[in-house]
Amino acid sequence: DGGITQSPKYLFRKEGQNVTLSCEQNLNHDAMYWYRQDPGQGLRLIYYSQIVNDFQKGDIAEGYSVSREKKESFPLTVTSAQKNPTAFYLCASSIRPTGDEQYFGPGTRLTVT
Amino acid sequence: AQRVTQPEKLLSVFKGAPVELKCNYSYSGSPELFWYVQYSRQRLQLLLRHISRESIKGFTADLNKGETSFHLKKPFAQEEDSAMYYCALDFGNEKLTFGTGTRLTIIP
């Protein structure tokens, strides 16, 4: 373990509030990713970044935002516009964007009530 | 559309019996293929990738281009194989597309 960290492990928020999930890696990887994991739906890509100061929408980007100001950090903000934010969120990184193994963080479980 | 399908949500196998986890995809090209595994209370991690042609923990996966499948197989299941398994494909668009996963339970 180690290399890619997510905090906090559990997060609780009231509906209508924005919340930011942290993801940090010390692997010197160029590419970083955010996934949402829901039972029966597998992993769905929210946003990804191939390089610092650049990022692209994944398959379910609506209601989320990201930034990539530093190579080692890729925070995800879950906004109040996300209709169903309660989920398990996974961050990952890889050396390069294409064809390389992705290394995953331990995840953050977000509960919005 | 590019799609990854894992038809079995749950699979139970007796210890010592063969295991096969199915993965099918829809794509006319040649994707990069991976199997990821998540053991209880552990992170999601790479189990094997097609390009390396390795056997990891006794598992192998063969690409069948005609059937567009990448099934994961092990001849003799062990209790420690119980986990969630995800098939994932890189269709050359700089991201992975994951299947919905199969939860494998090995019955002692």
Side-chain angles (χ1 to χ4, degrees):
Chain A
D1 283 358
I4 181 163
T5 58
Q6 292 182 244
S7 61
K9 191 172 181 179
Y10 299 97
L11 193 52
F12 298 88
R13 279 294 182 271
K14 294 288 187 186
E15 204 173 299
Q17 293 178 336
N18 291 356
V19 59
T20 297
L21 282 60
S22 168
C23 178
E24 304 277 330
Q25 54 99 359
N26 62 2
L27 302 168
N28 200 34
H29 286 174
D30 282 329
M32 296 187 75
Y33 312 83
W34 274 106
Y35 295 92
R36 174 180 169 137
Q37 189 177 29
D38 296 285
Q41 298 198 54
L43 274 71
R44 292 181 292 167
L45 184 65
I46 304 171
Y47 267 98
Y48 62 108
S49 169
Q50 300 164 0
I51 200 164
V52 176
N53 292 322
D54 187 38
F55 49 83
Q56 287 78 39
K57 292 183 179 180
D59 301 316
I60 55 164
E62 186 176 345
Y64 299 98
S65 66
V66 294
S67 63
R68 186 87 188 276
E69 296 176 3
K70 298 186 294 183
K71 187 175 187 177
E72 58 270 22
S73 179
F74 191 41
L76 173 75
T77 297
V78 184
T79 75
S80 56
Q82 168 48 230
K83 291 184 171 57
N84 188 18
T86 294
F88 190 63
Y89 290 88
L90 283 171
C91 180
S93 69
S94 63
I95 296 172
R96 294 166 302 180
T98 303
D100 277 337
E101 175 182 358
Q102 289 190 11
Y103 294 81
F104 284 83
T108 292
R109 183 164 299 280
L110 173 64
T111 303
V112 177
T113 57
Chain B
Q2 297 155 351
R3 193 176 299 158
V4 181
T5 304
Q6 293 181 251
E8 303 138 331
K9 284 190 176 179
L10 303 170
L11 183 64
S12 294
V13 173
F14 284 101
K15 179 182 172 181
V19 176
E20 183 179 56
L21 294 116
K22 293 185 170 58
C23 174
N24 295 93
Y25 64 91
S26 56
Y27 181 56
S28 56
S30 297
E32 291 271 356
L33 302 127
F34 305 81
W35 276 97
Y36 281 80
V37 62
Q38 192 168 27
Y39 300 103
S40 179
R41 299 189 192 87
Q42 293 188 30
R43 302 183 186 205
L44 189 63
Q45 59 187 288
L46 179 68
L47 178 62
L48 60 79
R49 56 188 301 182
H50 173 252
I51 196 169
S52 64
R53 300 199 179 274
E54 289 178 307
S55 171
I56 308 294
K57 298 186 179 182
F59 283 98
T60 58
D62 291 321
L63 170 62
N64 185 324
K65 288 188 177 180
E67 295 182 359
T68 56
S69 68
F70 187 55
H71 302 331
L72 184 68
K73 298 178 183 179
K74 184 169 182 177
F76 307 104
Q78 298 172 288
E79 288 186 62
E80 55 265 32
D81 296 329
S82 292
M84 191 75 177
Y85 291 80
Y86 292 97
C87 181
L89 272 70
D90 182 341
F91 293 110
N93 53 1
E94 298 176 332
K95 55 183 181 175
L96 282 181
T97 300
F98 283 83
T100 51
T102 298
R103 181 167 296 283
L104 175 65
T105 301
I106 306 303
I107 305 165

